[in-house]
Amino acid sequence: MRRIGMIDRIVVIGGGISGLSSAFYLQREAERQGKKVQITIVDGAPVLGGKINTLQRDGFVIERGPDSFLSRKLPIIELAKELGIENELTAQNVNGKTSYIMRDGKLHPMPKGMVLGIPTNLDTFMQTTLLSDEGKERSLKDLEMPSEAPEGDESLGDFLSRRIGPEIVKHISEPLLAGIYAGDLSKLSIQATFPQFAEAERKYGSLIRGTQMQQQNKAPQQSPDYLPEEIKSSVFLSFKEGLSTMVDALDQALQSVERRMGEEVVEIKPLDDGDASARYEVVLASGEVIPADHVLVTVPAFRAADLLEPLVDVSELRAINYVSVANVVMAFEKSTFNATFDGSGFLVPRAEGLRITACTWTSNKWLHTSPDDKVLLRCYVGRSGEEESAKLPDEELKQAVLEDIQKVLGINAVPIFTEITRLPRSMPQYPVGHLEKTVTFRERLSEQLPGVFVTGAAFGGVGLPDCIKSGKETVSAILATL
């Protein structure tokens, strides 16, 4: 017989932002509801935070994982408030918002009025040097073409090529949208990545017209009153001392939570005996066994599949491929850096043949990241179909990135230092039909392994706010079963 009136033991597998925020809300909401829980976080890494990793070095604030988040996605701002760190938020430099895209070896400014690569200001769009006249005219045919929205999902690449043509997809959409996922537009699900595009076609018969109307009808950003105006008006936000500020605050808020850091979970073992004192045993590589009434799996889909495959069909998890990437941060003396920046950085389409896929002018985009007399650049390497560059030996990778920067910016400055961060199998690729498949998987999991839940970037989005939102929703489902 199950224990009655005792503490529910919950094991959270994964100590990244999904696992930490889930543990935080589990602890807080259980207390509010008068439910007793004992939470244990298990992670194979020696420290908490997952991909969030801020390095403080020589006056620089260097993000080795994600570097910011969208301010319009409130779950992360709400969590910052609940942790008491909302005053640590910092806005993007108002003079560093212009972005560039490379074409034929030259940087061209992104046309004004572009919304996720979709033109909404047709006058400025027609003036861009990024596209040929034929390419612009083909894009504008979207305004006249009949809607051909298929039933269900389709790939992001097929949708965009169908509506606005191959040239704008190649030179604007691909480096911008695929860059967010390091993905291949022809394989990414539109419903799991940018469902507003499909909605624009269905509702207005045109992607461009629909995007224009979505912008006109969009309710003003309901930013919390406790935020200063400069924070409310910034598209992207970070923290003054880096994103690890949030990890540290969660760590402090979870002092009563047990930890098993540097420990890999090797098995989730159901206890079929009706007299057992727990539903499951979580078995660690060390041989330790943790009894659990509920298990929350927040690790990447391929790792979750390894753990769950002996117990349930995980074909939907196996269908989520992951791309390996790296980022290379270089610091320079401003006095030797013969280039000035008026924007946030540039994107590199596949056709340009460079190793880097993008470069952020970090010290111009985020003023808190660098001393005034220094320059900080962050370059991205690796994307779907081009992952070998991210696996180059350190010295080769440094040289390849430096050559690309010198070629694009026309500089010959030598870095003060270089920091390389490799993120193997870090970017989930949502296949066509992803949303329906994950619903099916979660239903099967609930039926066959009651008390076992999954959440994380593989399900609700790759951004930090998306991970927090997905975790919070899963917590509500867990608490409903206690």
Side-chain angles (χ1 to χ4, degrees), residues 70-143:
L70 284 168
S71 64
R72 64 180 173 82
K73 295 191 173 185
L74 297 182
I76 191 167
I77 295 176
E78 293 166 350
L79 179 55
K81 172 66 173 175
E82 290 164 328
L83 292 168
I85 57 172
E86 71 277 13
N87 292 332
E88 295 300 311
L89 290 167
T90 188
Q92 182 182 349
N93 178 17
V94 294
N95 296 319
K97 295 184 178 180
T98 302
S99 58
Y100 292 79
I101 300 181
M102 175 176 280
R103 179 165 186 180
D104 299 329
K106 296 181 179 179
L107 297 182
H108 303 254
M110 180 79 78
K112 293 187 181 299
M114 299 292 276
V115 176
L116 291 170
I118 311 304
T120 60
N121 183 326
L122 302 188
D123 291 334
T124 58
F125 176 67
M126 294 305 292
Q127 296 171 18
T128 184
T129 53
L130 267 169
L131 303 174
S132 67
D133 290 342
E134 293 78 11
K136 297 171 193 175
E137 290 173 3
R138 168 61 186 87
S139 295
L140 296 186
K141 286 184 179 180
D142 165 78
L143 293 164

Side-chain angles (χ1 to χ4, degrees), residues 245-463:
T245 299
M246 174 157 279
V247 174
D248 294 340
L250 284 164
D251 185 14
Q252 288 298 311
L254 294 169
Q255 285 301 300
S256 64
V257 170
E258 294 185 6
R259 327 284 180 84
R260 296 290 190 280
M261 303 307 298
E263 292 269 18
E264 291 284 357
V265 176
V266 296
E267 184 181 6
I268 300 172
K269 183 186 297 184
L271 299 179
D272 297 327
D273 183 356
D275 292 327
S277 62
R279 278 179 173 172
Y280 299 96
E281 289 180 342
V282 177
V283 184
L284 308 186
S286 64
E288 181 182 359
V289 175
I290 305 174
D293 303 296
H294 303 271
V295 180
L296 175 56
V297 182
T298 72
V299 294
F302 57 87
R303 179 75 183 109
D306 290 342
L307 292 173
L308 297 172
E309 195 163 37
L311 308 172
V312 66
D313 177 8
V314 295
S315 54
E316 293 87 356
L317 298 184
R318 294 293 186 199
I320 304 172
N321 294 320
Y322 279 72
V323 170
S324 298
V325 297
N327 65 68
V328 180
V329 175
M330 292 184 170
F332 299 86
E333 294 286 355
K334 186 175 286 186
S335 59
T336 66
F337 201 85
N338 299 319
T340 56
F341 305 132
D342 62 350
S344 60
F346 62 88
L347 301 166
V348 182
R350 293 173 185 266
E352 294 298 318
L354 299 187
R355 297 281 197 181
I356 62 175
T357 62
C359 176
T360 300
W361 298 330
T362 304
S363 51
N364 196 52
K365 183 177 181 181
W366 301 103
L367 297 179
H368 70 284
T369 62
S370 171
D372 292 340
D373 61 343
K374 303 292 192 296
V375 170
L376 191 66
L377 301 183
R378 170 166 145 145
C379 296
Y380 302 81
V381 180
R383 55 187 157 197
S384 179
E386 298 178 4
E387 298 179 64
E388 291 308 310
S389 294
K391 301 174 184 177
L392 289 172
D394 283 1
E395 291 306 315
E396 287 186 38
L397 183 55
K398 288 180 186 179
Q399 188 60 34
V401 169
L402 184 58
E403 289 175 359
D404 281 354
I405 292 174
Q406 291 172 335
K407 179 179 180 180
V408 176
L409 300 179
I411 64 167
N412 55 17
V414 177
I416 306 168
F417 65 80
T418 302
E419 290 283 348
I420 295 175
T421 304
R422 301 179 189 276
L423 299 166
R425 298 184 76 183
S426 59
M427 303 297 290
Q429 309 294 295
Y430 305 138
V432 174
H434 175 74
L435 296 183
E436 294 82 359
K437 291 174 183 176
T438 54
V439 168
T440 299
F441 175 73
R442 279 176 155 155
E443 290 174 347
R444 183 187 310 127
L445 188 65
S446 176
E447 179 181 339
Q448 298 183 18
L449 292 175
V452 177
F453 299 82
V454 290
T455 193
F459 302 93
V462 296

Side-chain angles (χ1 to χ4, degrees), residues 165-225:
E167 186 176 338
I168 190 173
V169 171
K170 179 180 179 181
H171 295 290
I172 296 180
S173 304
E174 189 275 334
L176 178 62
L177 303 181
I180 297 171
Y181 296 90
D184 180 345
L185 293 188
S186 69
K187 298 177 181 178
L188 288 174
S189 156
I190 190 171
Q191 292 298 334
T193 55
F194 300 98
Q196 65 269 41
F197 291 169
E199 175 64 18
E201 180 186 30
R202 280 194 300 269
K203 189 171 182 180
Y204 298 99
S206 157
L207 175 58
I208 294 175
R209 186 182 304 111
T211 303
Q212 290 172 329
M213 296 302 296
Q214 287 171 348
Q215 292 299 299
Q216 292 175 20
N217 299 333
K218 185 170 64 174
Q221 172 72 38
Q222 297 298 310
S223 297
D225 293 336

